[in-house]
Amino acid sequence: MSRRSDEETIQAILDGKLDAQSFEAFENRLRQEPELRELYRSYSRMTHVLEEKFAHSEPVIVPIKKRSTRPLVIFAAAACAAILAVAPALFLHDRDAEATVLLGPESRGRVVHLESSADPLELVRGSVIELEHGSASIDFPNGAKAYFEGPGTLKYAGDHSFHLNEGRVWIEARGVSESIVCTTGDLRVTAPDGEFGLIASRDQRQELHVLRGNVQVTTSDRTTSQIGAGESALWADATLTTGRDFGVFSTGFPAAVEIFLEDFDESEPTPLAGKQPDVGSGPWTIERGGPVIENGVLDTSGNGRHAAFAPLGGAPLDELSHVLLLTLETESPDTARFHSEGWAGVSLYTGDQERVFVGDPNGPEKGWALHPVGYEARHACPLLAGSNVVTLRYDFRSGHAQLFEGTDTSGPALASEWISPGLRFDRLRIANGSQADGAVDAGKPASAAGDGPDVLIRGDIALRRIKVTVLSAEQENRAGQP
């Protein structure tokens, strides 16, 4: 993009005239282009200063039609004179806007300002970053940086000072003149020149990990300690414990690494048994039945029971690469083969143990279900219109599993469940069955499903695509690695 085009886009944002799709594309570029962030910051500062100084002048700012290679603004004569007086200071001081903030991919959150007129992409005194999940990056003009991961909230108190209510934050203050301060409920961390990570949990547990340099930590009982590189401090049960714990923290937005893909694009009838996925570490194996791909769809219909497994390889989940996304696309729900009284769907396994299921649940309800190991499925939502696409998001750190409509997990979740944290999935299963089958799979007798007329009716699902992605923190983003 040309500088002229970028300036016009920025002007449209500041005027509130840019549509949502264009704004999202611009945000994506801001994540990747430091020069564009600085250009945006410069224009935004100028706008804030003018709005503040000339809020009661008429006219203040009048946009005009494009006439030259740069967007132009006409000001009142008094305003022009005043601008000449204040312009040298515009880029020496940040006024209220002190940092730039960007939400990461696959993130759901917002920046809340005390004043509604504040720029949504900048932090001002009193701004709060609220994350349901995902991350946000923070850049200061002086070179200091921070990376915040939710769920949680991070408040900016001004003058390079934060308060972490919940979540985890990485902060780098090397080579800057101002000290970075970050507080939690019981800790105050001051870093005049260093790099550290801070974690605050709902159970009042707070952790400090110093990655480079030295920081000072003061507790709520006014005890002060110096913590050096490679050392940590844990606050729990009103006690601060120090030790050597080389913690690791993400410092930037993760990359999406595709570890499995099956698009069932075969037009001729193709048995799933022995087929190599489009992306994956091994072929499909069949435990029950004999599912066949035909016309780009894997269909389990026919009142037969099927179960097929494929191994999951690739980047493992860990404390940094901690999010897995499982996206399923099915045939249109208007077809009869999508739903019946039984169940059908896709499960993630660890060894021989089923961990989480996504699919069509037992019973007459038409919709999707998300549930951990067990017999009772959790009904998630009404049947979605058109081609069904849903995405499961699993957080390795917390064990939180959420189900979203479509491929984007930055919107509201259809359903959520807490399963075990720290799981590493190594197999994927496609299966269908009846309510009685579900009881037997859960280790119960078939009679546990009841004796009604529908307990032996098997469900169906018609799959068009399965994709598994890990949001991976790349090696250069792994702060604190020796």
Side-chain angles (χ1 to χ4, degrees), residues 392-435:
L392 168 75
R393 183 185 195 275
Y394 170 74
D395 191 321
F396 175 88
R397 291 175 184 163
S398 66
H400 196 202
Q402 299 167 282
L403 188 64
F404 297 84
E405 181 177 0
T407 60
D408 183 11
T409 64
S410 61
L414 300 172
S416 64
E417 294 287 342
W418 294 94
I419 62 176
S420 300
L423 296 179
R424 293 182 173 91
F425 309 109
D426 54 24
R427 294 202 298 167
L428 177 148
R429 185 193 71 171
I430 302 172
N432 69 318
S434 67
Q435 295 184 52

Side-chain angles (χ1 to χ4, degrees), residues 304-328:
R305 192 173 188 199
H306 301 277
F309 286 87
L312 293 177
L317 294 175
D318 57 27
E319 280 297 309
L320 293 183
S321 302
H322 64 101
V323 173
L324 178 140
L325 305 174
L326 166 64
T327 299
L328 307 178

